[in-house]
Amino acid sequence: MKCLLSVLIPAFLLPAWPGTGGYAQTLPLRLTGGWIQAVPPSAGASVAFFRIANSADEPFELAGARSSLADRAEPMVTTRDAKGMSGMESVPALKIPAHGELVLQPGGDHLMLMNLRRHPNPGEKVTLTLIINPGHKEMEVTLPVLRQAPKEIENANEHSPEHR
Amino acid sequence: MNTALSTDNPVNPAYKPKGWRLWIVAVTLVVAIVISVLWGARHKAQEGFFGLRLFPAKEAYDFTLIDQNGHPFQLSSLRGNVALFTFGFTHCPNFCPTTLSDLASVYHALSPREQRRVRILFISVDPQRDTPQALGQYVPYFDPNIIGLTGPKTEIDRTAQAYGASYEIGQKPGDAPGVYFVNHSTFTYLVNPQGKVELIYDFDKLQDTAKLKADLERVLNEPGN
């Protein structure tokens, strides 16, 4: 589908498409394997998981997100103590290392979608506007709501995010 | 000291190093045998199970809690069947939905005959918010056959302690009253048809539906089960 689109739509119509170059605010970030955990209608929160690769010499930070799905989207780190007790803590931002990757996955760090305004149905696609620092830049991504992690996380749901 | 040594080996100075060598060889052999025996025993105990096998299986604490329909539920009522259970809370956004989705996926992979002999339990460690009604709105989403359990904190504490699980009230995100996280251990326990804890799964293993299914089928088909 993506190949078809790239043939049908001339490149000049896609100024924000990564790799087209020349766009002042284009971020050297690439999001893959993203999904949102399906939760029961009674749940007040859900979680977004994805990987963001950074091809630049400088690190970036994921400072949160905006979405029509939830009031707040906060970066969380998962903690595990000596007794095997797991918890999570809200942090101001999660680092996307230079020439490295930020990995958000079940049981690990994640983006928590708090105070859900509506119930995300499995199969639905939800748009998130990620807030990237420095510069408070925005990166729009669309993630599917899934009951379980995609089996082939590396190849699943690859996105070419739009940068503003 | 020197006198004693020279009494044992009064003439040949080369004799002493040879004796030491023999001792080293003997000790190394004994250590190797002990290690191989222990390794073999461990391997035998594990016997290809995907979950961490308790060998011998340990008598499961027979808790009595309240299910999502408000009825008392005793673990021993599942005797003759396999119980898979975990601890969590319904406001948990990360571990609990993933764990229950993974366990439901394993359950769905079983044959109808096997499903009749397997029950998944979700024990709340947040009884303050997790009433039977709250559990009733939560657990059936993953599968209608999952049993959500809550109850008096004293019994939940006893149950958690008996299985080596732990929990504590964690961070409060924001100032809203009644909003808090609960830190908790994320193991899943398999109680066999004889009422013994036989296998324990770390959270990371639950995604492997095929291997969990193989463990369950094996336990269901063990002689005496």
Side-chain angles (χ1 to χ4, degrees):
Chain A
M1 186 63 185
K2 196 185 288 177
C3 291
L4 187 66
L5 277 177
S6 58
V7 170
L8 293 177
I9 304 172
F12 62 82
L13 290 178
L14 299 167
W17 202 265
T20 54
Y23 195 67
Q25 288 197 346
T26 297
L27 290 163
L29 304 177
R30 182 182 167 83
L31 185 144
T32 53
W35 62 291
I36 290 172
Q37 174 72 59
V39 291
S42 63
S46 183
V47 182
F49 302 113
F50 45 80
R51 307 167 82 100
I52 300 182
N54 176 7
S55 59
D57 294 334
E58 301 83 30
F60 288 89
E61 283 184 346
L62 172 65
R66 284 198 323 268
S67 169
S68 60
L69 181 66
D71 286 345
R72 283 159 36 215
E74 294 186 2
M76 294 274 171
V77 291
T78 293
T79 57
R80 190 173 285 202
D81 71 7
K83 287 186 285 184
M85 201 153 45
S86 296
M88 57 185 180
E89 285 176 12
S90 176
V91 290
L94 291 165
K95 200 167 186 176
I96 312 167
H99 296 288
E101 202 176 25
L102 169 66
V103 179
L104 307 185
Q105 60 187 359
D109 300 342
H110 53 277
L111 188 66
M112 185 171 167
L113 307 170
M114 302 169 83
N115 301 341
L116 294 177
R117 293 174 186 157
R118 61 182 179 80
H119 177 243
N121 290 305
E124 181 190 343
K125 293 197 170 169
V126 174
T127 299
L128 301 180
T129 305
L130 307 183
I131 309 298
I132 305 291
N133 280 333
H136 201 79
K137 294 192 173 87
E138 296 184 348
M139 178 172 166
E140 195 164 282
V141 296
T142 303
L143 311 180
V145 179
L146 302 175
R147 284 181 177 265
Q148 273 192 298
K151 291 295 176 200
E152 290 177 30
I153 195 95
E154 293 294 337
N155 302 321
N157 186 42
E158 193 170 294
H159 290 274
S160 296
E162 183 183 330
H163 305 150
R164 291 175 178 175
Chain B
M1 288 291 280
N2 284 341
T3 313
L5 280 173
S6 62
T7 309
D8 289 342
N9 307 295
V11 191
N12 183 4
Y15 180 80
K16 188 170 69 177
K18 192 179 174 188
W20 276 93
R21 271 189 219 120
L22 276 172
W23 270 109
I24 288 166
V25 169
V27 168
T28 307
L29 268 174
V30 168
V31 169
I33 289 165
V34 168
I35 287 173
S36 63
V37 166
L38 288 176
W39 184 263
R42 184 175 175 274
H43 186 71
K44 188 175 184 303
Q46 198 60 33
E47 276 179 350
F49 277 104
F50 181 53
L52 178 68
R53 192 179 191 205
L54 296 192
F55 193 79
K58 187 187 164 199
E59 197 69 37
Y61 171 63
D62 188 16
F63 54 78
T64 301
L65 292 164
I66 310 294
D67 70 18
Q68 69 259 43
N69 300 314
H71 301 139
F73 176 93
Q74 194 169 0
L75 177 66
S76 55
S77 67
L78 294 180
R79 196 61 64 90
N81 302 297
V82 167
L84 266 177
F85 67 88
T86 189
F87 295 87
F89 63 113
T90 66
H91 286 73
C92 162
N94 186 5
F95 287 97
C96 306
T98 311
T99 297
L100 287 175
S101 292
D102 289 345
L103 292 177
S105 179
V106 177
Y107 183 78
H108 297 151
L110 297 171
S111 71
R113 189 158 164 261
E114 290 166 338
Q115 285 181 349
R116 281 195 287 277
R117 294 192 62 201
V118 173
R119 280 292 168 272
I120 297 166
L121 317 177
F122 179 72
I123 302 175
S124 172
V125 288
D126 186 16
Q128 193 183 328
R129 292 184 293 189
D130 287 344
T131 59
Q133 292 78 10
L135 286 163
Q137 291 173 337
Y138 189 81
V139 290
Y141 177 77
F142 302 96
D143 187 275
N145 291 302
I146 297 179
I147 300 169
L149 296 169
T150 185
K153 188 175 180 305
T154 47
E155 179 64 351
I156 288 172
D157 285 350
R158 254 199 303 270
T159 305
Q161 193 181 6
Y163 290 99
S166 50
Y167 73 96
E168 66 183 14
I169 303 300
Q171 196 186 45
K172 294 176 193 290
D175 300 325
V179 178
Y180 55 86
F181 300 147
V182 183
N183 301 337
H184 60 96
S185 49
T186 53
F187 298 109
T188 294
Y189 304 83
L190 184 150
V191 174
N192 69 20
Q194 294 164 42
K196 292 183 173 173
V197 186
E198 185 158 352
L199 295 164
I200 298 177
Y201 297 91
D202 200 359
F203 169 81
D204 300 332
K205 287 194 161 184
L206 300 179
Q207 279 183 50
D208 203 326
T209 305
K211 287 182 179 168
L212 248 80
K213 177 177 180 257
D215 274 7
L216 275 169
E217 287 176 334
R218 214 170 139 184
V219 171
L220 285 169
N221 293 321
E222 271 175 0
N225 283 347

